[in-house]
Amino acid sequence: MPRVRGYFHPKTATGDASIVPAPPWHYSGDLLTVEYRTDPERVRELLPSPLEPAADDPGAVALIWADWQSCADAGQELLDPVRSQYQEAFAVVRCSYRGRPYSRCVHIWVDKDFALVRGLHQGYPKKLGAIHQTRPHPFGPAPRIEPGARFGATLAAADRRLAQVVVTLREPSATAGFVNAHPMAHHRWLPSIEKGGGLALDELVESRAASVEAGPPWRGDARLELFESPTEELARLVVREPIAAYYQQVGVVWDGGRLLETATSDAE
């Protein structure tokens, strides 16, 4: 019998066509983070059982833009940039599982198929979108990483703009925020192929970086706007109170997660 290979679909005789290679996955990125407070009930409605709202500051949200380059161990994707470069924007909240704090990505958009599939494997609810952000550069008109530097970022999906922001850096910071600072608590869901069969895959998983390196974070102010869309719900996380904005360059390695529970969700 023929044997097909590949970490993910499509599986072929060689495995070269697999949309993503096997982990570990390595990432280098520029992150623009905007933290604010929304109605805690709007966060609560996004937390399926057995997750609970965070005990402190339950309405805190981080909206993050990321300009990524990524690759597998051999690093070949970096020499073929269409396979390594992508943009991402995602909303993160905080929650609790058995008394332990977690972060959770509740909305996320990317602009490449490999990034979408990789995220679905990790439990991120990824969709396709159009994401853009200002890149720093030491020459010309682009902003430097310094006081007063201004960065813009936009997010759109299905022909609708969902968010836009202008961030002005003020000073170096001790952290890059607190909302996205915990391991991720995500659900991996897959409906049964049989109609009415419920979920064939129903897992609550913990996902965290195997290693992280990062440049100095900068803190600033943000002017963030969210927009309504007929097919997206980011605007439900309405901005009630700004907290702060941050810029940081990071390097991350992801090499698998941990199963917390199975068959726990109240998803429909």
Side-chain angles (χ1 to χ4, degrees):
M1 293 289 292
R3 180 184 176 192
V4 292
R5 296 174 172 83
Y7 185 72
F8 222 91
H9 296 306
K11 291 181 178 287
T12 63
T14 67
D16 292 342
S18 178
I19 192 168
V20 291
W25 299 327
H26 303 259
Y27 304 78
S28 300
D30 289 46
L31 272 59
L32 198 63
T33 300
V34 182
E35 292 188 337
Y36 67 92
R37 293 184 177 93
T38 192
D39 181 350
E41 287 303 313
R42 294 291 173 89
V43 174
R44 181 188 294 271
E45 71 185 19
L46 294 169
L47 300 178
S49 174
L51 302 179
E52 299 287 343
D56 61 305
D57 218 346
V61 178
L63 186 54
I64 303 166
W65 278 264
D67 185 359
W68 291 115
Q69 297 184 78
S70 65
C71 63
D73 263 349
Q76 291 302 308
E77 297 91 337
L78 299 176
L79 303 180
D80 189 8
V82 70
R83 298 164 54 207
S84 67
Q85 296 177 1
Y86 69 99
Q87 306 283 332
E88 186 169 67
F90 54 108
V92 176
V93 301
R94 296 160 68 241
C95 60
S96 175
Y97 170 70
R98 295 187 175 179
R100 183 179 178 187
Y102 281 89
S103 300
R104 181 177 177 88
C105 179
V106 292
H107 297 294
I108 182 168
W109 296 264
V110 296
D111 62 0
K112 291 288 181 66
D113 58 357
F114 65 84
L116 186 147
V117 169
R118 197 165 54 190
L120 295 178
H121 173 66
Q122 298 166 307
Y124 285 87
K126 290 193 175 184
K127 302 174 74 173
L128 289 177
I131 305 100
H132 301 278
Q133 67 187 82
T134 306
R135 292 170 174 163
H137 199 279
F139 304 107
R144 282 72 162 165
I145 308 303
E146 61 187 10
R150 300 173 73 227
F151 293 80
T154 62
L155 163 65
D159 284 342
R160 303 298 203 284
R161 179 162 289 193
L162 306 180
Q164 62 188 30
V165 70
V166 174
V167 172
T168 303
L169 300 186
R170 299 300 183 198
E171 59 193 2
S173 173
T175 74
F178 69 97
V179 178
N180 193 36
H182 307 290
M184 289 287 185
H186 284 161
H187 280 87
R188 296 186 350 129
W189 290 319
L190 182 67
S192 171
I193 196 66
E194 295 187 358
K195 188 174 181 179
L199 292 173
L201 176 68
D202 187 357
E203 296 179 341
L204 176 63
V205 300
E206 176 183 297
S207 181
R208 65 166 72 206
S211 65
V212 178
E213 54 183 336
W218 280 72
R219 182 184 177 102
D221 306 312
R223 188 173 74 251
L224 174 64
E225 297 175 88
L226 305 180
F227 305 101
E228 296 286 347
S229 164
T231 58
E232 304 292 351
E233 300 182 44
L234 180 62
R236 288 183 63 80
L237 298 174
V238 60
V239 180
R240 281 193 168 180
E241 178 188 356
I243 299 176
Y246 303 91
Y247 173 86
Q248 190 176 34
Q249 293 181 313
V250 302
V252 179
V253 178
W254 189 87
D255 197 17
R258 183 169 71 94
L259 179 64
L260 297 176
E261 290 190 16
T262 58
T264 59
S265 78
D266 50 13
E268 296 181 357

